[in-house]
Amino acid sequence: MTATDPAAAELLARGELTVRGRIREASNAALYCTVTLGDREAACVYKPVAGERPLWDFPDGTLAGREVAAYEVSRATGWDLVPPTVLRDGPYGEGMCQLWIETAPGDELLALVDGEEPEPGWKAIGFAEVGEGRTALLVHADDDRLRRLSVLDAVINNADRKGGHLLPTAEGPLYGIDHGVTFNTENKLRTLLWGWAGEPLTGEALDVLKTLREALAASGPLTTVLTSLITPAEIEATRARVETLLTTGTHPEPGTGWPAIPWPPV
């Protein structure tokens, strides 16, 4: 089953979850599972709320709720940049359940290069130490899929967009995962996708933001969905971020009050 299958969300929400193993590199409990409903089966990730570690700067809500909220915002954009994700009961209680995405090898999105300027087709992120006093330029691909994801991250205030959270597929779409630290009311955007910082937003992005503005109105459909997932203050802050992007018409630039690039970057 692919992420674009309209039956994916129903399978995740109603299917029987069977734990197959633990994803050990995850910082919170993340379980690799299969989900089965009738003759349909798919691989998925289940992250129970009971396995979340408290975060002092995200005191409200849950990681699971924010992961689902990020999916709902992505869905509202029409870009579908986050795999189908639902909130449901599972073997270890309530948690988020997200369709497993098989990645395509060889789709290079990040690189370290010599020199002070990126080659055509790449955007500069910043300089990184690579050992023995040597630095290299960290770059990401000048890719429309990444550019859309950078806009989504600005809307949801993603505090942890690492390279390992980018999943290109053989079918062409690229997905972003791990959205547990999003929607903070304070500006916490921390990402590797700074290559378009300060540049004008595309016409497509502006149209999408206008759609989000309508969906996030007090009685809008997206507001209704988000109300059970994040706090009213976080919803209002999301509205404000959309409005700021529309007013400035540009991609945001790194702030000065926090590290702008996550560590480790991958």
Side-chain angles (χ1 to χ4, degrees), residues 86-230:
V86 302
L87 195 65
R88 58 161 293 167
D89 285 329
Y92 299 101
E94 185 179 64
M96 84 84 167
C97 186
Q98 184 176 82
L99 190 70
W100 181 267
I101 300 296
E102 293 292 343
T103 59
D107 197 347
E108 192 174 18
L109 300 173
L110 298 166
L112 282 168
V113 298
D114 292 323
E116 297 187 357
E117 295 293 335
E119 296 290 331
W122 295 89
K123 304 291 283 188
I125 303 169
F127 290 96
E129 294 185 10
V130 292
E132 299 180 354
R134 178 172 164 265
T135 61
L137 183 63
L138 182 61
V139 296
H140 66 67
D142 188 1
D143 186 307
D144 288 342
R145 300 170 302 171
L146 291 181
R147 190 165 191 171
R148 294 184 187 113
L149 192 59
S150 75
V151 175
L152 176 67
D153 282 345
V155 169
I156 66 176
N157 198 15
N158 192 350
D160 194 32
R161 175 61 71 204
K162 296 178 179 176
H165 300 166
L166 305 173
L167 305 182
T169 66
E171 296 80 16
L174 177 141
Y175 297 98
I177 60 168
D178 285 349
H179 298 107
V181 286
T182 50
F183 295 101
N184 203 294
T185 56
E186 298 179 10
N187 187 0
K188 290 184 178 289
L189 185 59
R190 186 179 295 115
T191 176
L192 285 176
L193 304 181
W194 288 117
W196 298 281
E199 293 186 15
L201 292 163
T202 64
E204 177 194 42
L206 291 170
D207 288 342
V208 164
L209 290 166
K210 291 173 185 175
T211 298
L212 285 180
R213 173 201 272 162
E214 295 179 5
L216 284 166
S219 58
L222 184 54
T223 297
T224 301
V225 172
L226 294 180
T227 296
S228 64
L229 300 170
I230 58 178

Side-chain angles (χ1 to χ4, degrees), residues 147 151 154 196-202 206 209 241 244-253:
R147 190 165 191 171
V151 175
W196 298 281
E199 293 186 15
L201 292 163
T202 64
L206 291 170
L209 290 166
R241 289 190 293 271
T244 296
L245 288 166
L246 284 168
T247 300
T248 63
T250 61
H251 288 269
E253 298 187 68

Side-chain angles (χ1 to χ4, degrees), residues 23-125:
I23 303 172
R24 295 193 176 277
E25 59 267 28
S27 55
N28 293 275
L31 305 173
Y32 178 78
C33 302
T34 53
V35 58
T36 307
L37 183 64
D39 60 355
R40 292 177 291 168
E41 182 176 282
C44 62
V45 177
Y46 162 55
K47 297 181 181 179
V49 172
E52 297 179 5
R53 295 187 301 177
L55 298 172
W56 67 268
D57 52 346
F58 285 83
D60 300 316
T62 64
L63 302 181
R66 289 188 288 271
E67 292 247 31
V68 179
Y71 163 69
E72 293 292 350
V73 174
S74 166
R75 188 165 168 245
T77 67
W79 284 333
D80 293 322
L81 297 169
V82 179
T85 313
V86 302
L87 195 65
R88 58 161 293 167
D89 285 329
Y92 299 101
E94 185 179 64
M96 84 84 167
C97 186
Q98 184 176 82
L99 190 70
W100 181 267
I101 300 296
E102 293 292 343
T103 59
D107 197 347
E108 192 174 18
L109 300 173
L110 298 166
L112 282 168
V113 298
D114 292 323
E116 297 187 357
E117 295 293 335
E119 296 290 331
W122 295 89
K123 304 291 283 188
I125 303 169

